[in-house]
């Protein structure tokens, strides 16, 4: 029978000084990782440092641009304030002119007799001289009463073109038919 020889545990390959090869390999790998990390960090630090410097440069130019923009906005704000003051003054001037115009319109209205109707002197119209222009067939009358009777007529007439009538303070009414507006001229 063959002799049985019992084998012992497998023998490990060892390098010098009795350290297993796998330990050497593991150590070399760890050293490589550490060196790679350090080198990567150094390279990364250099890139990061460049990025920081670029950011500082960009930030400096951005700050300068912002300052220039702020100055420009302040200038525009001043111009807008000036323009606003000018517009406020123009608005005040227009308000004054409008008040003057309203007063003039009221005066014209007070001194105008519409072309058709009967108007009481001293209430609806004021005594004075009136002119009407552009008439084709205009009838007017001054009266001493409002009864509508023939005896109330002080004076009357028909007008083609321009007409002039003087309404006296003693007249009671003025009647106009088919006439243009009568404008007080005196």
């Amino acid at each position: 029978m063959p002799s049985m020889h019992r084998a012992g545990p497998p023998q490990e390959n060892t390098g010098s000084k009795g350290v297993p090869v796998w330990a050497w390999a593991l150590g070399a790998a760890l050293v490589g990782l550490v060196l790679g990390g350090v080198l990567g960090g150094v390279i990364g630090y250099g890139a990061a440092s460049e990025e920081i410097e670029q950011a500082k440069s960009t930030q400096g130019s951005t700050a300068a641009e912002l300052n220039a923009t702020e100055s420009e906005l302040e200038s525009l704000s001043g111009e807008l304030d000036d323009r606003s003051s000018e517009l406020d003054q123009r608005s005040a001037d227009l308000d004054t002119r409008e008040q003057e115009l309203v007063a003039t319109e009221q005066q014209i209205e007070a001194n105008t007799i519409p072309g058709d109707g009967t108007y009481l002197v001293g209430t609806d119209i004021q005594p004075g001289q009136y002119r009407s222009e552009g008439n084709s067939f205009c009838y007017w009358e001054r009266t001493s009463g409002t009864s509508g009777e023939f005896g109330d007529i002080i004076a009357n007439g028909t007008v083609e073109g321009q007409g002039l009538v003087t309404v006296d303070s003693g007249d009671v009414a003025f009647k106009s038919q088919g006439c243009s507006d009568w404008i007080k001229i005196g």
Side-chain angles (χ1 to χ4, degrees), residues 120-170:
L120 297 176
V121 177
T123 303
D124 299 326
I125 64 170
Q126 298 303 311
Q129 189 174 29
Y130 291 86
R131 177 179 24 218
S132 180
E133 297 184 10
N135 297 295
S136 60
F137 181 76
C138 163
Y139 173 77
W140 63 268
E141 63 184 47
R142 294 173 37 226
T143 65
S144 61
T146 57
S147 69
E149 294 192 23
F150 186 72
D152 285 345
I153 298 174
I154 299 171
N156 67 348
T158 58
V159 177
E160 293 287 324
Q162 177 180 306
L164 290 173
V165 172
T166 300
V167 177
D168 290 331
S169 59

Side-chain angles (χ1 to χ4, degrees), residues 36-53 56:
V38 168
L39 286 175
V42 168
I43 292 170
Y45 174 78
S49 179
E50 286 179 30
E51 288 178 15
I52 289 171
E53 289 303 315
K56 284 181 181 178

Side-chain angles (χ1 to χ4, degrees), residues 62-80:
T62 302
E65 290 171 3
L66 287 175
N67 287 337
T69 301
E70 181 180 16
S71 294
E72 184 179 345
L73 288 175
E74 286 174 1
S75 173
L76 290 173
S77 177
E79 290 175 22
L80 286 175

Side-chain angles (χ1 to χ4, degrees), residues 59-110:
Q59 184 180 21
S61 65
T62 302
E65 290 171 3
L66 287 175
N67 287 337
T69 301
E70 181 180 16
S71 294
E72 184 179 345
L73 288 175
E74 286 174 1
S75 173
L76 290 173
S77 177
E79 290 175 22
L80 286 175
D81 289 344
D82 292 345
R83 185 69 175 143
S84 178
S85 294
E86 289 173 17
L87 290 175
D88 288 345
Q89 182 60 47
R90 287 183 70 186
S91 178
D93 292 346
L94 286 174
D95 288 346
T96 301
R97 289 175 54 192
E98 183 176 1
Q99 290 171 356
E100 292 169 356
L101 185 59
V102 166
T104 301
E105 288 173 344
Q106 290 171 344
Q107 183 180 9
I108 290 170
E109 185 178 324

